[in-house]
Amino acid sequence: MFELNLPAPSARSLLLTVIGELMYMPPEDAWTTALLHVLGGLGVEEHAARQVLARAADAGWVVREREGRAVKWRLAPKGRAVVSDGIHRSEAFLAGPPEWDGRWLLLFVTVPGEQRTTRKRLYGGLSWLGLGNPVPGVWLTPHTERGAELSELVEGLGLRTSALSVVGSVHGAGLDVDEIAGKAWDLTDLEAHYRVLLDQLDALPEPQGGDETLFAYLELLNVQQRFMRRDPFLPEELLPEWIGREGAARIRACRERWGASAHARWAELVRDCAPR
């Protein structure tokens, strides 16, 4: 449905969207046949869907329980924690631009040259937390509330002794606020992706219920999640005119229109797929 010139979503990404949206609240249990039906509607072939479910169980996201010849799934504690974090981040994204007190969360970090895998994981984690890189070795974000998550990332990668984290305002001896925003984040491609999304939403026929609404809703959620991974969600003081805020508002409006029907169809699927 959505063609945004972004990397195509993986089966893993789509499964996270499905279990995060449909299995966090009742009905929490889902039969394999219901999950395969939904993943198939999102373009995941049955063999790949079964594989990604098995890998999700191995990773501790979900647990399975057999009832006769049928298998049902539910979120494991680890999976619920991942989903809870995603819901919190989604609510902030959809709520609109945050207020900002002028302070930054800064990270000064070095990674030894031979630790390429660690560096890749660090940069991926910093990007997810919305940190930008205005000068070499320095990462920062106006979201000072993400300090605990930043500490968890640094500790988890074994970088505590080569990192320093600070919360505070910048001094006039270096880059000013506008220069920091311009150098830390290159949002040119992301802006173009948002424009494509808005154009596609303008042209999109309203889904007519049942599977059509369920699949459109889940696809939109996955699109939102992919934008959230790239958008640092800067306050208006740093980015006064940002198309991403319009994009978030339009996504929110579609979710409000489609959500109840999508969840009703999911509850119906769970009932229909239950073993007799």
Side-chain angles (χ1 to χ4, degrees), residues 90-111:
S90 173
E91 289 173 347
F93 176 81
L94 297 174
E99 295 184 0
W100 187 46
D101 62 5
R103 297 187 306 154
W104 300 87
L105 170 64
L106 296 102
L107 176 71
F108 305 86
V109 61
T110 57
V111 182

Side-chain angles (χ1 to χ4, degrees), residues 8-31:
S10 64
R12 175 182 179 274
S13 167
L14 290 169
L15 177 64
L16 276 175
T17 299
V18 170
I19 65 177
E21 180 64 21
L22 301 179
M23 295 170 60
Y24 190 73
M25 302 292 287
E28 296 177 358
D29 294 344
W31 301 100

Side-chain angles (χ1 to χ4, degrees), residues 12 46 54 71 101 122 126 130-131 138-139 145 154 165 172 183 200 202 232 248 250 276:
R12 175 182 179 274
E46 181 175 336
V71 174
D101 62 5
L122 173 67
L126 293 174
L131 274 74
V138 178
W139 295 78
E145 74 280 2
V154 170
S165 180
K183 290 177 70 69
Q200 291 190 3
D202 285 339
R250 294 286 297 280
R276 300 293 193 270

Side-chain angles (χ1 to χ4, degrees), residues 118 121-122 148-160:
T118 299
R121 292 174 61 194
L122 173 67
E149 294 171 273
L150 180 61
S151 295
E152 184 178 346
L153 174 66
V154 170
E155 291 277 354
L157 294 175
L159 296 173
R160 188 185 66 81

Side-chain angles (χ1 to χ4, degrees), residues 42 64 121 268:
L42 298 176
R64 51 193 153 195
R121 292 174 61 194
E268 181 181 58

Side-chain angles (χ1 to χ4, degrees), residues 120-198:
K120 183 177 180 180
R121 292 174 61 194
L122 173 67
Y123 290 176
L126 293 174
S127 177
W128 168 240
L129 292 176
L131 274 74
N133 182 213
V135 295
V138 178
W139 295 78
L140 82 177
T141 175
H143 297 284
T144 56
E145 74 280 2
R146 295 178 183 171
E149 294 171 273
L150 180 61
S151 295
E152 184 178 346
L153 174 66
V154 170
E155 291 277 354
L157 294 175
L159 296 173
R160 188 185 66 81
T161 58
S162 58
L164 174 66
S165 180
V166 178
V167 172
S169 56
V170 296
H171 188 270
L175 300 173
D176 63 27
V177 167
D178 292 336
E179 291 171 321
I180 290 172
K183 290 177 70 69
W185 296 278
D186 182 358
L187 302 177
T188 304
D189 288 344
L190 184 60
E191 180 179 6
H193 294 320
Y194 269 122
R195 293 194 185 281
V196 173
L197 173 65
L198 292 174

